[in-house]
Amino acid sequence: MALYAHSLVGRPEIEWQILAAHLTNVSLLAHERAEKFGFGPLGRLVGLFHDLGKYSSAFQAYIKNSGESPDHSTAGAQMLMQAGFKGDDMVAAQLAAFCIAGHHSGLADRESSHASLNDRLKKPIPVLDPVWETELQIANGGLIPATFKPHQDRKTAGFQLAMLGRMIFSTLVDADFLDTEAFYAAAEGKPVDREWPELQTVLPRLLESYGREMAGKPADGKLNLLRADILHTVRSKATSPRGVYTLNVPTGGGKTLASLGFALDHVKVHGMKRIICAIPFTSIIDQTAAIFRKVLGDDVVLEHHSAIEQEDGKPVEGRDKLRLAMENWAAPVVVTTNVQLFESLFANRPSRCRKLHALANAVIILDEAQTIPLPVLRPCVAALDELARNYGATIILCTATQPALAAPVDGRRGFEGGFSPVPVELAPDPPALHRTLRRVALDVRKGPVSDAALVEELARHRQELVIVNSRKHALALYTAAKDAGLDGLMHLSTRQIAVHRREALDEVRRRLKAGNPCRVIATSLVEAGVDLDFPRVWRAEAGLDQIAQAAGRCNREARLTVEDSIVTVFQPEESKPPAEIRAFAEAMHRVAMRHTELFSPEAIADYFEEVYWQRGAKGLDRYEVADAFKLSTGSLMFSYQTVAEKFRLIESGMEPVVIPADEKAQDAIKGLVGEWLKPGAAARALQTYTVQVPPKARKRLIDNGRARFVDTAQQFAVLESPGLYTQELGLLWEDAEMLVIDDLIM
């Protein structure tokens, strides 16, 4: 009697998928993916046994529409734990058990009050048809290769093995999805239109296209000659071994294209599979993706910053190429967000983990590396270090303000748990570069500055940028400047939807280029990579890294003299900084007492060392990830689910409100209401039409009838009162009937 993995409603059983065929297919696909980092046999093992429970008569009855759906994920986990593996292979078998038991529901904790792996391992399971023993074969060992480099410290080794578990889990869920999808697509006669070219296949074309782009750059002038020298030096190091590198180049030095050039050359030398660029803010991901597409072409670049994932564990029959590629990052070049990258590295759900094996044998460019939030810095650095150590990845920490992310050396405080050995610098002589590319004069004001005084200062110059620490202060200052009659005035904050922010930034660039009045009052969303070039910048007190990023919006193209390009740091009189920013500002002032040039690499490193030392180990690991994966007498006491539920790169504490600003947004909302548009598709369509607001404010909007949920799951709260949102000011959720809530953006 044939046993089946997947059925087809209304079709004869002869057309159904045979169970042994599915398990074989998945094992081969998982083996192929895991072999990229040396664990092919373990990938094959989890692929073979992931659906072992389908050999039960209970499942075979269910698939024929008789009885309830039985648990088919536990049997394989139990079988491998009872298979008699010893030593390192027993460690691998435990990882396999985590993966198999969780391939629909997610990686569980080893012990917990609810649905732990230990509970699953003790759970009674249906009797299996003994034919499985002839159709499947348990590996006889060698599951942990000799090339794997374990840490000597048991706590670090636990983290390392837990990450291996996620990587193997990634190969399994990707393989399972692909084979299931292929079966249903073939049965319906629908081709799976999602093939991306292999990077090595298209690499000659990409290098040629990159070469043409760089050859077209202006070759005259001091700045362009310096950029060319930086590019030459960086690319000359592409033959270096895989590992961790820094690219410490001031704003205006061409970091983005230099890092891409290194990546293209490096993947050619080492035969690598993918280039991944992670961006800290969604406000600049479009900008970077556009640069990559312009240089390399539209057909090789995937842009992924949606955090919406499907988790129902069911076969999906009709998703488009973009959606499918987003799940497993199959494209040769991926531009994504830090949130997507790091939260996936600490996730436990299948769709979020599915892409992780794509990080193996890849060049990972971490743009603006200094923006990794301090409360998660230790686990994020540990994950990057492990990708370089055991998964053939090369990491490029790319920034104008390089943080001190190396482990302590020669008595320096450094960063406990940081990269060791010290990352290799790609740029030529960073201190000299910073001196040569110095474009601004820094003015740190003493004493508080009122909004009225600041408006008077703005009236004296035609083009200025003011960056403050909260949306509330930005709105108040903009209103005061508008009341004063200043022309060329613009307001930019996350009160506005991304669609309108992009339009506003385009308008700012047009005004600057034309020499028209342009006075912009913004939050920090305009920092860290946003391509703006003002003659003067004002920055509310913050950390030295943020001040340096703000300075990168001043005299960016070095068209003015240093003396005419002023960055003024001021203490706002009416708006006190949040506690965290106040602590960073205090660290900046202490560093200023020891350095005359605050933007030098030495001062920046000193600042980060000061901040890290202040925080201590616990302050750099808010969710205690380092303590969540323990080794205990041969048992892997891992807390995958607990970490995944707690770990957030940015704890915004905000909730989204959808703004139906144009026809595209309105059509997506209609699709949700009419249920012809799935929630995931709607979320992708609406991600640039949302404003994040404090939870109490959103609740008050809904309670007052100014917003309402348009879906039964209450995920999409849509603004009902158009008067509360304007393109100029954004969403004004504060009014006489609502709480006035000051919130910190970012």
Side-chain angles (χ1 to χ4, degrees):
M1 182 183 68
L3 301 177
Y4 301 102
H6 298 114
S7 62
L8 294 167
V9 177
R11 304 270 285 271
E13 290 184 13
I14 195 172
E15 297 182 20
W16 294 8
Q17 187 178 34
I18 298 295
L19 177 55
H22 174 61
L23 297 178
T24 300
N25 293 343
V26 173
S27 72
L28 292 173
L29 289 168
H31 178 279
E32 175 189 343
R33 282 149 180 72
E35 191 61 26
K36 290 187 298 184
F37 48 92
F39 280 83
L42 185 53
R44 177 181 180 275
L45 186 68
V46 296
L48 275 179
F49 283 84
H50 78 286
D51 276 353
L52 185 65
K54 291 185 178 182
Y55 277 98
S56 70
S57 57
F59 181 85
Q60 293 302 314
Y62 159 73
I63 206 173
K64 297 173 183 178
N65 293 317
S66 176
E68 298 294 320
S69 174
D71 172 6
H72 67 268
S73 302
T74 299
Q78 290 188 4
M79 195 61 61
L80 292 182
M81 290 293 288
Q82 299 165 10
F85 288 112
K86 304 293 183 185
D88 287 348
D89 287 331
M90 184 56 197
V91 171
Q94 291 178 70
L95 291 176
F98 274 109
C99 296
I100 291 171
H103 78 272
H104 285 307
S105 57
L107 294 167
D109 291 351
R110 184 64 180 262
E111 288 184 341
S112 68
S113 58
H114 175 69
S116 70
L117 178 63
N118 278 349
D119 289 340
R120 297 281 291 276
L121 295 176
K122 298 172 186 174
K123 177 182 178 180
I125 60 172
V127 175
L128 304 181
D129 189 318
V131 72
W132 79 264
E133 297 185 63
T134 60
E135 293 185 344
L136 308 181
Q137 185 176 357
I138 297 179
N140 57 6
L143 299 176
I144 303 284
T147 53
F148 189 65
K149 303 171 186 174
H151 286 283
Q152 298 304 309
D153 181 88
R154 288 180 65 81
K155 182 183 289 187
T156 307
F159 179 95
Q160 182 181 37
L161 288 170
M163 188 160 169
L164 172 60
R166 284 194 200 88
M167 295 294 279
I168 294 296
F169 185 60
S170 170
T171 69
L172 171 61
V173 294
D174 190 33
D176 189 26
F177 183 101
L178 289 174
D179 184 63
T180 302
E181 174 198 41
F183 168 72
Y184 281 99
E188 294 194 358
K190 295 179 179 179
V192 181
D193 180 22
R194 56 172 205 80
E195 290 300 321
W196 290 82
E198 293 287 336
L199 176 57
Q200 290 297 323
T201 302
V202 297
L203 189 56
R205 170 168 66 87
L206 302 187
L207 284 165
E208 182 181 352
S209 179
Y210 180 86
R212 283 197 306 271
E213 176 70 20
M214 302 315 295
K217 297 289 182 184
D220 57 335
K222 182 180 177 181
L223 180 58
N224 289 324
L225 289 172
L226 185 60
R227 286 171 174 165
D229 180 57
I230 292 169
L231 178 62
H232 174 74
T233 302
V234 170
R235 294 188 74 180
S236 72
K237 297 179 181 179
T239 57
S240 302
R242 306 183 206 202
V244 183
Y245 294 88
T246 55
L247 182 55
N248 191 351
V249 175
T251 299
K255 289 187 303 298
T256 300
L257 289 174
S259 63
L260 178 58
F262 174 90
L264 290 168
D265 293 339
H266 196 66
V267 298
K268 178 181 179 181
V269 170
H270 296 288
M272 300 171 79
K273 298 290 188 183
R274 192 163 285 104
I275 296 170
I276 297 168
C277 182
I279 310 292
F281 307 122
T282 56
S283 57
I284 58 173
I285 188 173
D286 295 335
Q287 177 179 295
T288 303
I291 293 172
F292 278 34
R293 288 195 184 98
K294 179 176 181 288
V295 175
L296 304 177
D298 290 338
D299 62 327
V300 297
V301 179
L302 167 70
E303 181 182 345
H304 182 200
H305 53 94
S306 172
I308 303 298
E309 310 289 347
Q310 178 166 325
E311 294 289 0
D312 60 12
K314 298 176 182 177
V316 179
E317 301 170 32
R319 284 187 283 180
D320 61 14
K321 177 180 179 180
L322 180 62
R323 171 59 178 155
L324 292 162
M326 279 184 178
E327 288 192 345
N328 67 355
W329 284 359
V333 180
V334 178
V335 182
T336 188
T337 61
N338 284 0
V339 169
Q340 188 64 236
L341 173 64
F342 288 114
E343 291 190 2
S344 294
L345 279 166
F346 294 98
N348 76 320
R349 303 293 293 179
S351 68
R352 209 67 195 272
C353 290
R354 184 182 172 193
K355 67 179 77 71
L356 293 182
H357 69 83
L359 299 173
N361 207 11
V363 173
I364 302 170
I365 302 169
L366 199 67
D367 195 27
E368 308 297 350
Q370 80 286 347
T371 60
I372 300 175
L374 293 182
V376 295
L377 186 62
R378 289 192 74 191
C380 287
V381 168
L384 293 172
D385 181 70
E386 185 60 17
L387 285 170
R389 183 184 299 266
N390 278 307
Y391 298 93
T394 285
I395 314 296
I396 306 174
L397 305 170
C398 183
T399 175
T401 54
Q402 197 64 245
L405 292 181
V409 178
D410 298 330
R412 292 175 69 91
R413 286 194 298 251
F415 169 61
E416 285 292 345
F419 293 108
S420 180
V422 176
V424 176
E425 178 58 52
L426 295 175
D429 194 357
L433 279 181
H434 281 258
R435 289 191 297 270
T436 303
L437 285 171
R438 181 171 175 261
R439 303 173 326 284
V440 303
L442 186 63
D443 175 20
V444 181
R445 293 285 175 95
K446 294 183 179 179
V449 176
S450 68
D451 285 356
L454 194 51
V455 170
E456 289 180 9
E457 293 276 5
L458 289 175
R460 296 191 181 104
H461 301 275
R462 288 167 58 84
Q463 295 186 340
E464 292 187 276
L465 169 64
V466 182
I467 303 173
V468 295
N469 289 320
S470 74
R471 294 186 287 194
K472 181 181 179 183
H473 189 200
L475 181 61
L477 184 58
Y478 175 81
T479 302
K482 190 172 182 180
D483 290 344
L486 298 189
D487 58 350
L489 196 62
M490 296 193 70
H491 167 250
L492 272 169
S493 87
T494 51
R495 286 180 181 273
Q496 297 149 312
I497 59 176
V499 168
H500 289 160
R501 294 200 305 268
R502 283 200 293 267
E503 292 176 3
L505 285 169
D506 288 342
E507 176 62 20
V508 169
R509 294 184 185 105
R510 283 192 291 270
R511 292 184 186 183
L512 290 172
K513 186 175 182 179
N516 296 330
C518 186
R519 299 175 173 99
V520 176
I521 296 169
T523 60
S524 60
L525 69 86
V526 299
E527 294 173 343
V530 177
D531 185 10
L532 296 174
D533 188 1
F534 281 84
R536 298 176 68 88
V537 171
W538 292 75
R539 182 53 167 102
E541 278 190 332
L544 182 55
D545 55 328
Q546 284 192 280
I547 293 169
Q549 290 297 332
R553 306 323 111 200
C554 183
N555 196 21
R556 186 177 179 87
E557 294 299 322
R559 296 187 179 96
L560 305 174
T561 65
V562 170
E563 294 73 23
D564 290 331
S565 309
I566 311 298
V567 175
T568 304
V569 179
F570 68 100
Q571 177 187 343
E573 185 174 276
E574 287 90 347
S575 179
K576 303 302 179 186
E580 180 139 323
I581 287 184
R582 185 164 58 247
F584 293 154
E586 290 168 355
M588 182 270 293
H589 285 298
R590 287 193 295 273
V591 170
M593 297 169 63
R594 303 192 289 267
H595 297 269
T596 56
E597 176 49 65
L598 279 180
F599 294 157
S600 69
E602 297 84 0
I604 295 292
D606 192 11
Y607 166 77
F608 280 108
E609 289 169 5
E610 175 88 17
V611 170
Y612 299 158
W613 175 78
Q614 252 188 335
R615 285 276 180 155
K618 292 289 186 183
L620 300 176
D621 185 7
R622 171 188 289 168
Y623 307 113
E624 300 179 329
V625 174
D627 298 324
F629 303 103
K630 299 175 182 177
L631 305 180
S632 176
T633 60
S635 293
L636 306 183
M637 306 308 293
F638 292 173
S639 299
Y640 282 119
Q641 183 174 348
T642 297
V643 167
E645 289 174 350
K646 292 194 302 183
F647 187 93
R648 293 294 179 271
L649 196 72
I650 301 171
E651 284 284 5
S652 68
M654 301 291 170
E655 294 178 344
V657 174
V658 177
I659 310 299
D662 59 23
E663 190 173 333
K664 178 183 174 183
Q666 292 160 12
D667 285 346
I669 293 166
K670 290 176 184 175
L672 266 174
V673 173
E675 297 185 350
W676 67 76
L677 193 63
K678 293 182 179 180
R684 293 191 297 280
L686 294 171
Q687 64 187 357
T688 56
Y689 293 89
T690 62
V691 175
Q692 299 290 331
V693 305
K696 289 182 180 178
R698 190 175 80 160
K699 183 177 185 300
R700 192 64 62 90
L701 282 169
I702 293 168
D703 290 347
N704 289 345
R706 301 184 179 197
R708 70 181 179 92
F709 289 112
V710 297
D711 62 317
T712 55
Q714 296 195 341
Q715 294 178 336
F716 297 87
V718 176
L719 187 69
E720 293 278 285
S721 297
L724 288 179
Y725 182 91
T726 66
Q727 186 165 350
E728 175 190 10
L729 301 179
L731 180 60
L732 302 180
W733 59 82
E734 311 94 332
D735 65 10
E737 298 176 4
M738 299 178 64
L739 294 174
V740 178
I741 303 172
D742 191 9
D743 57 282
L744 174 66
I745 58 103
M746 297 301 173

